[in-house]
């Protein structure tokens, strides 16, 4: 019995080791177009695995509740300083272990149960952590959705003004997961001042574009606080942050992060975060510029090949994202993304503002993000090749296995991470 168990455990152990190897090999042959992901440079990847992954450091740098923290004190304060420098914020806390935790921490700091908040509906791009299914629901908040204008693919500011003045919310959440164009931060800030609300901008998707100077800087435009992930267009380790220029708001944010929402803040990610920030100070502008150029090129090329990219009248995109409404052509987004995966092109189906939540398993949209392929050195000409692959699968219904052969061949030349210490631009 004992030996049977042992061989069973050994089989599982080998399976896990094998699946790690296969994941690494498979993803190096894929075109990853998931808009919320990215890849760290090798130097940062190496810095991610260290003794720090076994340790605790509750509290703030140099003011901990634990002994043994002298090195993480230095590294955490360097990470805070560099991320603040890139964001133009005086107060930055990198302890949230994810963007979702950052949102929880921030909302918990500025609301009490039954307070009203405004955010975008999930179909209009709001993240689950902005909506009743996530943090605001858990905190017992009264969530109102901004009216969304499909024509400008943005918040309908006139209608929103009326609703905000009537409702008197405590927090106005901006930022989104489906995020093609800057949000009206200045307009929302002036309404917030009228009703005494805090403007919270969730920069998870666009952090790297903001830091690279290619997207609105929400703090400069009037947002009171920023929450974010650190691993989407900003290509750091998976994690989160909160930041502000208001000392008073920062006190509340820090309390939200610790002790409310975290105990251990997963220290091993902080060296990698600090190193990514350093890389970004050197290469961030060039990377962000190329990312936005690539998104625009991918959108234009797809559109000219007959793919239903949305927002042509608005120039398609000002971010890293490109969005298609495949339902327009009678195509199932679920089937399309599954076929793309068979061809080693990884992306996701997505609700669009004109969908109902009931369509969540087969919505109208597909969302693409070009930031990771940009990190691997792809430029406009490669975006044209990718557009052709997308057409082969989505429109021409070619055999995914055949397209996969071309995808693997194409990807072979883009293996080294650029815009980092170990890669050329
Ligand atoms: C706008 C937005 N905020 C927050 C998050 C959550 O980030 P995390 O996965 O770091 O919790 C996401 C995730 O994609 C997002 O799109």
């Amino acid at each position: 019995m004992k030996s049977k168990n042992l061989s069973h455990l050994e089989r599982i152990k080998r399976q896990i080791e094998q699946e790690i190897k296969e994941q690494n090999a498979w993803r190096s042959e894929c075109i990853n177009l998931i808009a919320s992901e990215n890849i760290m440079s090798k130097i940062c990847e190496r810095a991610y695995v260290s003794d720090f992954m076994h340790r605790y450091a509750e509290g703030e740098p140099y003011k901990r509740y634990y002994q043994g923290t002298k090195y993480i004190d230095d590294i955490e304060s360097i990470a805070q300083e560099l991320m603040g420098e890139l964001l133009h914020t005086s107060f930055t806390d990198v302890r949230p272990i994810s963007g979702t935790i950052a949102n929880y921490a921030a909302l918990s700091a500025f609301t009490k149960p039954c307070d009203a908040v405004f955010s975008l509906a999930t179909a209009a791009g709001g993240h689950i952590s902005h909506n009743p299914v996530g943090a605001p629901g858990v905190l017992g908040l009264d969530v109102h959705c901004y009216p969304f204008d499909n024509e400008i693919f943005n918040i309908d500011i006139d209608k929103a003004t009326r609703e905000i003045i009537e409702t008197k919310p405590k927090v106005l959440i901006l930022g989104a997961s489906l995020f093609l164009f800057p949000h009206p931060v200045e307009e929302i800030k002036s309404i917030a001042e009228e009703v005494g609300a805090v403007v919270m901008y969730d920069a998870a998707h666009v952090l790297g574009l903001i830091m690279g100077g290619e997207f609105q800087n929400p703090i400069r435009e009037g947002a009171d606080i920023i929450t974010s992930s650190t691993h989407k267009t900003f290509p750091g380790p998976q994690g989160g942050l909160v930041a502000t220029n208001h000392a008073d708001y920062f006190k509340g944010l820090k309390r939200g992060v610790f002790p409310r929402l975290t105990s251990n803040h997963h220290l091993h990610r902080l060296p990698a975060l600090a190193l990514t920030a350093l890389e970004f100070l050197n290469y961030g502008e060039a990377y962000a510029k190329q990312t936005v150029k690539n998104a625009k090129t991918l959108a234009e090329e797809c559109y000219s090949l007959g793919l239903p990219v949305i927002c042509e009248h608005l120039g398609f995109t000002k971010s890293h994202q490109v969005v298609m409404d495949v339902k327009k052509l009678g195509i199932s987004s679920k089937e399309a993304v599954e076929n793309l995966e068979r061809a080693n092109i990884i992306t996701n189906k997505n609700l669009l503002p004109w969908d109902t939540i009931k369509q969540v398993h087969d919505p109208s949209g597909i969302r693409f993000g070009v930031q990771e392929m940009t990190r691997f050195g792809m430029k406009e000409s490669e975006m044209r090749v990718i557009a052709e692959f997308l057409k082969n699968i989505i429109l021409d219904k070619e055999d995914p296995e055949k397209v996969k052969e071309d995808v693997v061949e194409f990807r072979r030349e883009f293996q080294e991470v650029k815009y980092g210490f170990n890669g050329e631009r």
Side-chain angles (χ1 to χ4, degrees):
M1 183 64 188
K2 202 171 174 197
S3 67
K4 193 171 167 206
N5 271 347
L6 266 181
S7 72
H8 178 59
L9 296 182
E10 182 59 28
R11 257 205 318 280
I12 296 172
K13 172 178 164 281
R14 283 203 204 131
Q15 181 191 343
I16 292 169
E17 287 164 351
Q18 184 60 22
E19 293 200 20
I20 295 170
K21 270 193 208 143
E22 284 181 17
Q23 164 78 5
N24 288 346
W26 177 44
R27 286 313 197 98
S28 75
E29 294 184 334
C30 286
I31 296 172
N32 187 40
L33 298 174
I34 299 281
S36 57
E37 296 180 358
N38 215 319
I39 186 141
M40 287 192 281
S41 68
K42 284 282 169 248
I43 285 174
C44 295
E45 216 178 279
R46 277 198 295 275
Y48 190 75
V49 179
S50 72
D51 180 70
F52 289 124
M53 67 195 172
H54 308 122
R55 307 300 163 207
Y56 272 77
E58 283 181 358
E60 293 178 47
Y62 310 108
K63 288 184 272 176
R64 306 288 191 188
Y65 295 89
Y66 280 68
Q67 294 310 117
T69 65
K70 60 185 176 185
Y71 298 115
I72 203 63
D73 285 345
D74 290 343
I75 290 171
E76 188 172 320
S77 62
I78 291 170
Q80 277 172 358
E81 199 174 304
L82 294 175
M83 293 302 276
E85 185 177 338
L86 285 162
L87 257 184
H88 304 280
T89 48
S90 319
F91 307 104
T92 310
D93 190 340
V94 294
R95 289 175 300 172
I97 56 170
S98 71
T100 299
I101 292 294
N103 285 341
Y104 262 99
L107 285 170
S108 79
F110 300 108
T111 60
K112 50 184 190 332
C114 302
D115 281 347
V117 298
F118 271 72
S119 63
L120 282 167
T122 316
H127 187 248
I128 45 176
S129 60
H130 306 167
N131 282 296
V133 288
V138 176
L139 294 166
L141 304 178
D142 172 24
V143 184
H144 294 248
C145 292
Y146 294 112
F148 195 81
D149 183 342
N150 293 342
E151 202 43 36
I152 57 168
F153 210 77
N154 220 316
I155 294 167
D156 181 329
I157 201 71
D158 292 334
K159 282 192 192 153
T161 304
R162 285 196 291 277
E163 292 184 22
I164 292 166
I165 288 173
E166 210 170 284
T167 313
K168 301 210 177 358
K170 287 286 186 283
V171 179
L172 296 169
I173 304 171
L174 294 173
S177 306
L178 189 70
F179 208 177
L180 294 172
F181 305 105
H183 279 167
V185 178
E186 284 175 17
E187 292 87 337
I188 289 289
K189 174 65 180 173
S190 74
I191 315 165
E193 277 175 348
E194 236 177 278
V195 298
V198 170
V199 178
M200 163 178 156
Y201 187 103
D202 178 345
H205 262 269
V206 289
L207 186 70
L209 306 183
I210 294 170
M211 289 174 163
E214 289 295 314
F215 207 75
Q216 67 186 157
N217 182 307
I219 290 285
R220 287 207 178 125
E221 292 185 14
D224 298 301
I225 58 170
I226 289 184
T227 61
S228 191
S229 307
T230 52
H231 51 269
K232 302 181 197 290
T233 50
F234 183 80
Q238 293 193 338
L241 63 79
V242 290
T244 180
N245 277 337
H246 298 265
D248 275 355
Y249 288 161
F250 195 50
K251 279 187 205 146
L253 286 172
K254 282 197 298 184
R255 264 198 308 278
V257 174
F258 176 85
R260 215 173 284 143
L261 267 301
T262 56
S263 161
N264 181 16
H265 55 287
H266 301 183
L267 313 183
H268 62 288
R269 65 196 169 82
L270 298 179
L273 181 65
L275 286 170
T276 309
L278 268 186
E279 289 182 334
F280 220 80
L281 283 164
N282 280 279
Y283 308 109
E285 279 180 21
Y287 152 77
K289 195 176 264 305
Q290 192 62 50
T291 300
V292 173
K293 262 199 239 169
N294 281 353
K296 193 130 172 104
T297 304
L298 181 66
E300 286 168 356
E301 192 65 18
C302 285
Y303 190 79
S304 73
L305 292 173
L307 287 160
V309 184
I310 66 167
C311 295
E312 189 245 348
H313 63 298
L314 301 170
F316 298 112
T317 182
K318 287 197 168 154
S319 73
H320 60 303
Q321 296 186 6
V322 173
V323 179
M324 289 182 196
D325 181 352
V326 293
K327 206 132 263 161
K328 252 191 194 163
L329 303 180
I331 291 169
S332 149
S333 64
K334 180 176 182 295
E335 231 173 83
V337 295
E338 286 169 2
N339 285 331
L340 287 167
E341 180 176 348
R342 277 182 211 114
N344 272 17
I345 299 173
I346 313 296
T347 184
N348 67 278
K349 57 186 187 289
N350 217 100
L351 284 169
L352 297 182
W354 37 92
D355 288 343
T356 67
I357 200 78
K358 287 195 187 129
Q359 288 170 258
V360 71
H361 296 297
D362 194 4
S364 300
I366 306 181
R367 185 187 67 170
F368 305 87
V370 300
Q371 68 293 338
E372 185 169 326
M373 291 302 108
T374 305
R375 285 272 282 169
F376 279 115
M378 292 192 189
K379 298 208 164 129
E380 288 92 320
S381 54
E382 284 77 32
M383 294 300 118
R384 293 189 189 101
V385 176
I386 293 176
E388 197 69 46
F389 288 143
L390 297 179
K391 174 178 177 279
N392 295 158
I393 298 291
I394 299 172
L395 282 186
D396 306 340
K397 309 270 193 281
E398 283 185 20
D399 177 4
E401 290 301 325
K402 286 226 84 63
V403 177
K404 177 177 165 179
E405 289 169 18
D406 295 336
V407 167
V408 170
E409 188 56 37
F410 168 73
R411 180 68 163 78
R412 197 160 285 151
E413 285 184 36
F414 298 92
Q415 294 296 322
E416 195 190 328
V417 176
K418 311 292 183 193
Y419 307 99
F421 292 141
N422 52 343
E424 298 294 307
R425 272 181 227 174

